[in-house]
Amino acid sequence: IASIEEMILKTAASLRDAHDPLLSSRILMTGRSIQPGSVRICCNLILDLWMVLEITDEVDTESTLKMIISAYQEGDVINIATEAFEALDYMYLVALSFLGEKDERNAHFHQTVPRWMHYPALKDLMVKLIGDDDPHFPDYRMWNRKEFYH
């Protein structure tokens, strides 16, 4: 293995494939403390935490959303130029909305909207979110839960 970061990412991927994103997210949280600021670890952690929210109601949604915001900010995700950015940015904006950080959400939305408005489904969800004064997480899921159980 080329680096500690790579070892953390491979271990998390292996556990995600064999078990679920809850277990891999725990590895990535530990990895974040070992490799602070790693964009790759933070991005994978955000995706895993979102999947956890998507597949179960048995986690503390507020704490999980706070972890998404923290990983997004620590990993400087806004400065990555990947196709995953659109999904990561959407997840961050949903987390801000659900935690009542609407001013920050709106400012971030207007700052980043030109970068990611390529996928119609995300665009529709984001426009809906910006106008929603009382959002509920199930309305902003990105995937169908059944997709995770096959």
Side-chain angles (χ1 to χ4, degrees), residues 13 40 52 59 62 83 85 88 92 99 113 138 140 143 150:
R40 293 173 63 203
V52 168
V59 294
E62 184 175 337
E83 291 180 11
F85 176 78
L88 294 167
Y92 176 65
L99 295 175
V113 70
Y140 295 96
W143 300 288
H150 57 252

Side-chain angles (χ1 to χ4, degrees), residues 2-55:
S3 68
I4 293 172
E5 178 187 53
E6 198 62 38
M7 180 185 69
I8 292 165
L9 292 168
K10 286 183 181 204
T11 302
S14 176
L15 290 171
R16 184 183 311 111
D17 292 343
H19 300 285
D20 60 47
L22 182 58
L23 189 55
S24 60
S25 68
R26 290 181 179 160
I27 295 297
L28 292 165
M29 283 187 264
T30 301
R32 225 175 120 199
S33 65
I34 296 169
Q35 293 283 168
S38 164
V39 174
R40 293 173 63 203
I41 290 173
C42 287
C43 290
N44 278 272
L45 177 58
I46 292 166
L47 293 169
D48 279 358
L49 290 171
W50 187 271
M51 283 190 279
V52 168
L53 288 172
E54 293 265 355
I55 64 173

Side-chain angles (χ1 to χ4, degrees), residues 1-149:
I1 297 178
S3 68
I4 293 172
E5 178 187 53
E6 198 62 38
M7 180 185 69
I8 292 165
L9 292 168
K10 286 183 181 204
T11 302
S14 176
L15 290 171
R16 184 183 311 111
D17 292 343
H19 300 285
D20 60 47
L22 182 58
L23 189 55
S24 60
S25 68
R26 290 181 179 160
I27 295 297
L28 292 165
M29 283 187 264
T30 301
R32 225 175 120 199
S33 65
I34 296 169
Q35 293 283 168
S38 164
V39 174
R40 293 173 63 203
I41 290 173
C42 287
C43 290
N44 278 272
L45 177 58
I46 292 166
L47 293 169
D48 279 358
L49 290 171
W50 187 271
M51 283 190 279
V52 168
L53 288 172
E54 293 265 355
I55 64 173
T56 184
D57 294 325
E58 297 181 24
V59 294
D60 180 20
T61 302
E62 184 175 337
S63 295
T64 305
L65 293 171
K66 286 179 180 178
M67 286 187 272
I68 287 172
I69 290 172
S70 176
Y72 186 96
Q73 293 170 343
E74 177 186 323
D76 200 21
V77 174
I78 194 170
N79 291 317
I80 64 171
T82 68
E83 291 180 11
F85 176 78
E86 294 188 28
L88 294 167
D89 198 48
Y90 173 75
M91 293 169 192
Y92 176 65
L93 291 167
V94 168
L96 290 172
S97 291
F98 282 86
L99 295 175
E101 302 291 337
K102 292 181 180 169
D103 290 340
E104 185 177 343
R105 177 210 58 201
N106 291 345
H108 187 79
F109 173 77
H110 292 294
Q111 174 188 3
T112 62
V113 70
R115 286 185 65 181
W116 61 263
M117 282 292 204
H118 299 101
Y119 295 99
L122 283 180
K123 178 181 177 182
D124 293 345
L125 284 171
M126 186 50 57
V127 169
K128 178 181 171 184
L129 179 66
I130 294 297
D132 193 343
D133 291 331
D134 187 26
H136 299 281
F137 186 77
D139 297 335
Y140 295 96
R141 294 186 195 282
M142 292 176 60
W143 300 288
N144 181 324
R145 285 185 182 200
K146 292 178 184 176
E147 293 175 27
F148 293 105
Y149 294 114

